[in-house]
Amino acid sequence: MTLEATVSIGWVNTVIGAAERLSVTADQLLAEAGIPHSACELERWPIDDITRLWHAAERCTGDPGFGLKVGAEFSPMSISGVGFALQSAATLREAIVMVQRFQRLISDGGRFQVVAGNVATWLVYHPRQGQLAFSPHQIEAVLASVVGFGSWVTGTRMQPARVQFSQPRLGPLAGYQTVFNCPVEFEQAFSGVLVDNSVLDQPLPQADPQLAQVHERYTTARLAALAINSASVPELRRWLTARIGPVLPRRADAAEALGISERSLARRLREQGQTFDGLLDDVRREKALQVVADSTSSLPEIAEALGFAEVSTFYRAFHRWTGMPPVRWRKQGNLAE
């Protein structure tokens, strides 16, 4: 797992490509989203940035079926190594299990849950959004991509038994029928695709056990590398900055978010010349200097907001950080203006 949800640049490019096919250039889209063009050089985007991209695409294209178009045009090439591994799976069910395993390499902005029945199986999607609420087009794109991938990997058009969304309908029903070719319901308890077990368990034409092992080893190594990078000092600093408050984030919270032990987290930070407590102290210091200088809040209010149990403890910490008490720091800042 990661401290903050991110998405691969392959999925970002899929969204941009769909907008370009509707005559919206990448530059237009990025400008509307308030995202610098240099972001396209990154390997992964924060989940809130791609959410901004989706909302910008809604506005720029004016197309209520935009999410469905993105999902329908999805191909394994969009997810590189994971896509190659999926192609070699023995069955569609096995490929879906691999998606669950390697989901993070595509995006950890959501997860799939498999709810198996005697005749059919639900593939339920649970989004993991950031500070911004997901665009409903994002959810539609994910479910449409499930059907698109199923069709691609089986070599025949995949027809689910049923599709449902927890959100209201965005466009004409005809658009959903074109993509899913089955009954589609809205404002339900969850978003998911119901697929007959016979479809999920049918042998795939491109199944190759030896090649599957090669791709699985490669993809597993990439996943391990991503987990190591997730415990980087910059990411932990951003995570702490977003969570500083009256109740301080704990090392146990960060370790749980990453899916690793506290000991592993401590080791990874030590390898980068840091400790969790040291990072927390740095983030509190930065926040304290900013708030004391810029805020009209009283010092007791600031102390409580930064998680100090006593005002005197805050005063001592501030003196340790700056060599002077907070009142003097604030006055010094005002005199400099």
Side-chain angles (χ1 to χ4, degrees):
M1 298 176 68
T2 55
L3 292 169
E4 302 293 349
T6 59
V7 61
S8 70
I9 194 65
W11 187 239
V12 172
N13 288 334
T14 299
V15 178
I16 292 175
E20 288 178 328
R21 283 186 284 278
L22 293 172
S23 301
V24 176
T25 68
D27 288 341
Q28 287 177 287
L29 194 58
L30 292 167
E32 178 68 22
I35 297 171
H37 201 280
S38 58
C40 293
E41 299 173 6
L42 301 174
E43 290 186 9
R44 299 183 72 85
W45 278 21
I47 200 68
D48 280 342
D49 278 0
I50 196 168
T51 296
R52 292 185 181 94
L53 192 75
W54 275 102
H55 285 302
E58 291 178 46
R59 295 190 295 270
C60 290
T61 65
D63 186 344
F66 181 72
L68 295 176
K69 289 183 173 66
V70 172
E73 294 168 1
F74 170 84
S75 79
M77 300 304 103
S78 305
I79 50 176
S80 59
V82 179
F84 293 127
L86 299 180
Q87 291 175 59
S88 305
T91 64
L92 188 55
R93 189 185 297 276
E94 183 178 300
I96 290 165
V97 171
M98 293 175 72
V99 168
Q100 288 181 297
R101 238 181 105 194
F102 300 124
Q103 175 72 38
R104 281 199 56 213
L105 292 174
I106 308 166
S107 167
D108 45 23
R111 65 179 179 85
F112 282 101
Q113 177 187 8
V114 177
V115 183
N118 292 331
V119 177
T121 295
W122 276 106
L123 310 178
V124 180
Y125 180 65
H126 300 281
R128 178 195 174 196
Q129 58 194 29
Q131 298 295 316
L132 301 179
F134 266 14
S135 160
H137 290 274
Q138 289 173 274
I139 310 299
E140 293 197 347
V142 169
L143 296 196
S145 70
V146 170
V147 175
F149 169 75
S151 300
W152 188 93
V153 78
T154 59
T156 59
R157 185 178 182 186
M158 178 180 173
Q159 183 173 352
R162 196 163 89 219
V163 170
Q164 66 179 45
F165 292 95
S166 59
Q167 61 202 32
R169 178 164 57 90
L170 299 180
L173 276 173
Y176 296 92
Q177 288 300 317
T178 298
V179 173
F180 298 115
N181 194 31
C182 71
V184 182
E185 299 177 343
F186 304 90
E187 300 183 82
Q188 301 300 306
F190 59 84
S191 297
V193 179
L194 182 65
V195 184
D196 288 343
N197 290 336
S198 60
V199 174
L200 291 176
D201 297 324
Q202 181 180 350
L204 295 179
Q206 298 183 76
D208 186 329
Q210 291 185 332
L211 194 57
Q213 288 182 2
V214 172
H215 288 313
E216 184 167 347
R217 284 196 297 269
Y218 169 73
T219 309
T220 300
R222 287 183 60 205
L223 191 63
L226 184 58
I228 292 172
N229 292 337
S230 296
S232 67
V233 166
E235 182 170 352
L236 278 163
R237 189 184 294 277
R238 286 193 296 271
W239 184 81
L240 287 169
T241 299
R243 284 161 180 78
I244 287 293
V247 178
L248 292 177
R250 304 170 304 159
R251 184 173 65 182
D253 299 327
E256 183 179 358
L258 285 166
I260 60 177
S261 68
E262 289 187 60
R263 181 176 295 181
S264 295
L265 175 59
R267 184 182 68 252
R268 292 181 187 178
L269 288 174
R270 188 166 58 249
E271 290 168 353
Q272 299 171 75
Q274 269 289 3
T275 65
F276 184 85
D277 290 342
L279 274 176
L280 179 59
D281 191 62
D282 283 347
V283 170
R284 289 175 100 187
R285 176 183 58 81
E286 291 171 3
K287 188 70 173 177
L289 298 186
Q290 175 190 344
V291 176
V292 170
D294 300 339
S295 174
T296 56
S297 300
S298 69
L299 295 177
E301 289 173 334
I302 294 173
E304 181 181 1
L306 293 175
F308 288 94
E310 303 288 342
V311 177
S312 59
T313 309
F314 170 59
Y315 273 56
R316 287 195 296 272
F318 200 93
H319 195 279
R320 172 170 57 84
W321 292 328
T322 66
M324 65 181 74
V327 173
R328 184 176 165 193
W329 175 272
R330 175 175 280 175
K331 288 181 178 178
Q332 187 180 46
N334 290 336
L335 290 173
E337 293 178 356

Short mmCIF file of all heavy atoms in Angstrom, two decimals, residues 8-38:
data_model
loop_
_atom_site.label_atom_id
_atom_site.label_comp_id
_atom_site.label_asym_id
_atom_site.label_seq_id
_atom_site.Cartn_x
_atom_site.Cartn_y
_atom_site.Cartn_z
N SER A 8 -0.76 5.27 -12.04
CA SER A 8 0.33 5.18 -13.01
C SER A 8 0.12 6.14 -14.17
O SER A 8 -1.02 6.49 -14.51
CB SER A 8 0.43 3.75 -13.55
OG SER A 8 -0.68 3.46 -14.38
N ILE A 9 1.20 6.55 -14.78
CA ILE A 9 1.12 7.48 -15.92
C ILE A 9 0.43 6.82 -17.10
O ILE A 9 -0.16 7.51 -17.95
CB ILE A 9 2.53 7.99 -16.31
CG1 ILE A 9 2.43 9.20 -17.25
CG2 ILE A 9 3.36 6.86 -16.90
CD1 ILE A 9 1.80 10.41 -16.63
N GLY A 10 0.44 5.47 -17.16
CA GLY A 10 -0.26 4.79 -18.25
C GLY A 10 -1.75 5.07 -18.22
O GLY A 10 -2.37 5.31 -19.27
N TRP A 11 -2.35 5.07 -17.04
CA TRP A 11 -3.78 5.36 -16.91
C TRP A 11 -4.04 6.85 -17.18
O TRP A 11 -5.03 7.21 -17.78
CB TRP A 11 -4.25 4.95 -15.53
CG TRP A 11 -5.73 5.04 -15.31
CD1 TRP A 11 -6.36 5.78 -14.37
CD2 TRP A 11 -6.78 4.37 -16.03
NE1 TRP A 11 -7.73 5.61 -14.45
CE2 TRP A 11 -8.01 4.75 -15.46
CE3 TRP A 11 -6.79 3.47 -17.10
CZ2 TRP A 11 -9.24 4.28 -15.93
CZ3 TRP A 11 -8.02 3.01 -17.56
CH2 TRP A 11 -9.21 3.41 -16.98
N VAL A 12 -3.11 7.71 -16.73
CA VAL A 12 -3.22 9.14 -17.03
C VAL A 12 -3.26 9.36 -18.54
O VAL A 12 -4.11 10.09 -19.06
CB VAL A 12 -2.04 9.93 -16.41
CG1 VAL A 12 -2.05 11.39 -16.89
CG2 VAL A 12 -2.08 9.88 -14.90
N ASN A 13 -2.34 8.71 -19.25
CA ASN A 13 -2.27 8.88 -20.70
C ASN A 13 -3.51 8.34 -21.42
O ASN A 13 -3.88 8.82 -22.49
CB ASN A 13 -1.01 8.20 -21.24
CG ASN A 13 0.25 8.96 -20.88
OD1 ASN A 13 0.21 10.17 -20.66
ND2 ASN A 13 1.37 8.26 -20.80
N THR A 14 -4.14 7.32 -20.82
CA THR A 14 -5.38 6.79 -21.40
C THR A 14 -6.47 7.86 -21.36
O THR A 14 -7.23 8.04 -22.33
CB THR A 14 -5.85 5.55 -20.62
OG1 THR A 14 -4.83 4.55 -20.72
CG2 THR A 14 -7.15 5.00 -21.19
N VAL A 15 -6.55 8.61 -20.26
CA VAL A 15 -7.54 9.69 -20.13
C VAL A 15 -7.23 10.82 -21.11
O VAL A 15 -8.12 11.32 -21.82
CB VAL A 15 -7.56 10.23 -18.68
CG1 VAL A 15 -8.56 11.39 -18.56
CG2 VAL A 15 -7.91 9.13 -17.70
N ILE A 16 -5.96 11.20 -21.18
CA ILE A 16 -5.57 12.28 -22.09
C ILE A 16 -5.84 11.87 -23.54
O ILE A 16 -6.34 12.66 -24.34
CB ILE A 16 -4.08 12.64 -21.89
CG1 ILE A 16 -3.88 13.29 -20.50
CG2 ILE A 16 -3.59 13.58 -22.98
CD1 ILE A 16 -2.43 13.57 -20.15
N GLY A 17 -5.50 10.62 -23.88
CA GLY A 17 -5.72 10.14 -25.25
C GLY A 17 -7.19 10.17 -25.64
O GLY A 17 -7.54 10.54 -26.77
N ALA A 18 -8.08 9.80 -24.72
CA ALA A 18 -9.51 9.83 -25.02
C ALA A 18 -9.99 11.25 -25.24
O ALA A 18 -10.82 11.51 -26.12
CB ALA A 18 -10.29 9.18 -23.87
N ALA A 19 -9.46 12.20 -24.47
CA ALA A 19 -9.83 13.61 -24.66
C ALA A 19 -9.34 14.12 -26.00
O ALA A 19 -10.05 14.86 -26.70
CB ALA A 19 -9.26 14.46 -23.52
N GLU A 20 -8.14 13.70 -26.38
CA GLU A 20 -7.59 14.15 -27.68
C GLU A 20 -8.43 13.63 -28.84
O GLU A 20 -8.60 14.33 -29.85
CB GLU A 20 -6.14 13.69 -27.80
CG GLU A 20 -5.19 14.46 -26.90
CD GLU A 20 -3.76 13.97 -27.00
OE1 GLU A 20 -3.55 12.76 -27.24
OE2 GLU A 20 -2.84 14.80 -26.83
N ARG A 21 -8.98 12.44 -28.70
CA ARG A 21 -9.84 11.90 -29.76
C ARG A 21 -11.17 12.66 -29.86
O ARG A 21 -11.88 12.54 -30.85
CB ARG A 21 -10.08 10.41 -29.54
CG ARG A 21 -8.87 9.55 -29.95
CD ARG A 21 -9.17 8.08 -29.86
NE ARG A 21 -9.17 7.60 -28.49
CZ ARG A 21 -8.08 7.26 -27.81
NH1 ARG A 21 -6.88 7.38 -28.37
NH2 ARG A 21 -8.17 6.81 -26.57
N LEU A 22 -11.45 13.44 -28.83
CA LEU A 22 -12.64 14.30 -28.85
C LEU A 22 -12.26 15.76 -29.11
O LEU A 22 -12.99 16.68 -28.77
CB LEU A 22 -13.40 14.18 -27.53
CG LEU A 22 -14.05 12.82 -27.26
CD1 LEU A 22 -14.59 12.75 -25.85
CD2 LEU A 22 -15.16 12.54 -28.27
N SER A 23 -11.06 15.95 -29.70
CA SER A 23 -10.55 17.26 -30.14
C SER A 23 -10.19 18.19 -28.99
O SER A 23 -10.19 19.42 -29.15
CB SER A 23 -11.59 17.96 -31.04
OG SER A 23 -11.87 17.15 -32.17
N VAL A 24 -9.87 17.63 -27.82
CA VAL A 24 -9.35 18.43 -26.71
C VAL A 24 -7.87 18.08 -26.57
O VAL A 24 -7.53 16.92 -26.29
CB VAL A 24 -10.10 18.13 -25.40
CG1 VAL A 24 -9.47 18.91 -24.23
CG2 VAL A 24 -11.58 18.46 -25.53
N THR A 25 -6.99 19.04 -26.78
CA THR A 25 -5.56 18.75 -26.73
C THR A 25 -5.10 18.53 -25.29
O THR A 25 -5.75 18.97 -24.33
CB THR A 25 -4.74 19.90 -27.33
OG1 THR A 25 -4.86 21.05 -26.48
CG2 THR A 25 -5.24 20.25 -28.73
N ALA A 26 -3.96 17.87 -25.17
CA ALA A 26 -3.38 17.63 -23.85
C ALA A 26 -3.09 18.95 -23.14
O ALA A 26 -3.33 19.09 -21.93
CB ALA A 26 -2.10 16.80 -23.98
N ASP A 27 -2.59 19.94 -23.90
CA ASP A 27 -2.29 21.24 -23.29
C ASP A 27 -3.55 21.90 -22.74
O ASP A 27 -3.54 22.48 -21.65
CB ASP A 27 -1.63 22.17 -24.32
CG ASP A 27 -0.20 21.75 -24.64
OD1 ASP A 27 0.39 21.00 -23.82
OD2 ASP A 27 0.33 22.16 -25.69
N GLN A 28 -4.64 21.84 -23.51
CA GLN A 28 -5.91 22.39 -23.04
C GLN A 28 -6.37 21.71 -21.76
O GLN A 28 -6.79 22.35 -20.79
CB GLN A 28 -7.00 22.22 -24.11
CG GLN A 28 -6.90 23.12 -25.32
CD GLN A 28 -8.00 22.78 -26.32
OE1 GLN A 28 -7.94 21.76 -27.00
NE2 GLN A 28 -9.00 23.64 -26.41
N LEU A 29 -6.28 20.39 -21.77
CA LEU A 29 -6.76 19.61 -20.63
C LEU A 29 -5.95 19.90 -19.38
O LEU A 29 -6.51 20.12 -18.29
CB LEU A 29 -6.69 18.12 -20.98
CG LEU A 29 -7.44 17.15 -20.08
CD1 LEU A 29 -8.92 17.49 -20.02
CD2 LEU A 29 -7.25 15.73 -20.57
N LEU A 30 -4.63 19.91 -19.51
CA LEU A 30 -3.77 20.15 -18.36
C LEU A 30 -3.96 21.57 -17.82
O LEU A 30 -3.97 21.79 -16.61
CB LEU A 30 -2.31 19.92 -18.74
CG LEU A 30 -1.94 18.46 -19.03
CD1 LEU A 30 -0.57 18.37 -19.69
CD2 LEU A 30 -1.97 17.62 -17.76
N ALA A 31 -4.09 22.53 -18.74
CA ALA A 31 -4.30 23.91 -18.31
C ALA A 31 -5.62 24.05 -17.55
O ALA A 31 -5.69 24.74 -16.52
CB ALA A 31 -4.29 24.86 -19.52
N GLU A 32 -6.66 23.41 -18.04
CA GLU A 32 -7.97 23.46 -17.38
C GLU A 32 -7.91 22.81 -16.00
O GLU A 32 -8.57 23.24 -15.06
CB GLU A 32 -9.02 22.75 -18.25
CG GLU A 32 -10.41 22.69 -17.66
CD GLU A 32 -11.09 24.05 -17.57
OE1 GLU A 32 -10.70 24.97 -18.33
OE2 GLU A 32 -12.02 24.18 -16.75
N ALA A 33 -7.08 21.76 -15.88
CA ALA A 33 -6.95 21.06 -14.61
C ALA A 33 -6.00 21.75 -13.65
O ALA A 33 -5.94 21.39 -12.46
CB ALA A 33 -6.48 19.63 -14.86
N GLY A 34 -5.22 22.73 -14.15
CA GLY A 34 -4.25 23.42 -13.31
C GLY A 34 -3.04 22.55 -12.99
O GLY A 34 -2.45 22.65 -11.92
N ILE A 35 -2.67 21.69 -13.94
CA ILE A 35 -1.55 20.77 -13.75
C ILE A 35 -0.45 21.11 -14.75
O ILE A 35 -0.73 21.23 -15.95
CB ILE A 35 -2.01 19.31 -13.95
CG1 ILE A 35 -3.06 18.94 -12.90
CG2 ILE A 35 -0.84 18.34 -13.89
CD1 ILE A 35 -3.72 17.60 -13.14
N PRO A 36 0.79 21.29 -14.32
CA PRO A 36 1.87 21.63 -15.26
C PRO A 36 2.14 20.49 -16.23
O PRO A 36 1.99 19.31 -15.88
CB PRO A 36 3.08 21.89 -14.35
CG PRO A 36 2.77 21.13 -13.09
CD PRO A 36 1.28 21.19 -12.93
N HIS A 37 2.55 20.84 -17.45
CA HIS A 37 2.82 19.82 -18.47
C HIS A 37 3.95 18.90 -18.05
O HIS A 37 4.00 17.73 -18.44
CB HIS A 37 3.17 20.50 -19.80
CG HIS A 37 2.97 19.59 -20.98
ND1 HIS A 37 3.89 18.64 -21.34
CD2 HIS A 37 1.93 19.48 -21.85
CE1 HIS A 37 3.45 17.98 -22.42
NE2 HIS A 37 2.26 18.46 -22.74
N SER A 38 4.85 19.40 -17.20
CA SER A 38 5.98 18.58 -16.74
C SER A 38 5.52 17.36 -15.94
O SER A 38 6.26 16.39 -15.79
CB SER A 38 6.92 19.43 -15.87
OG SER A 38 6.22 19.97 -14.76
#
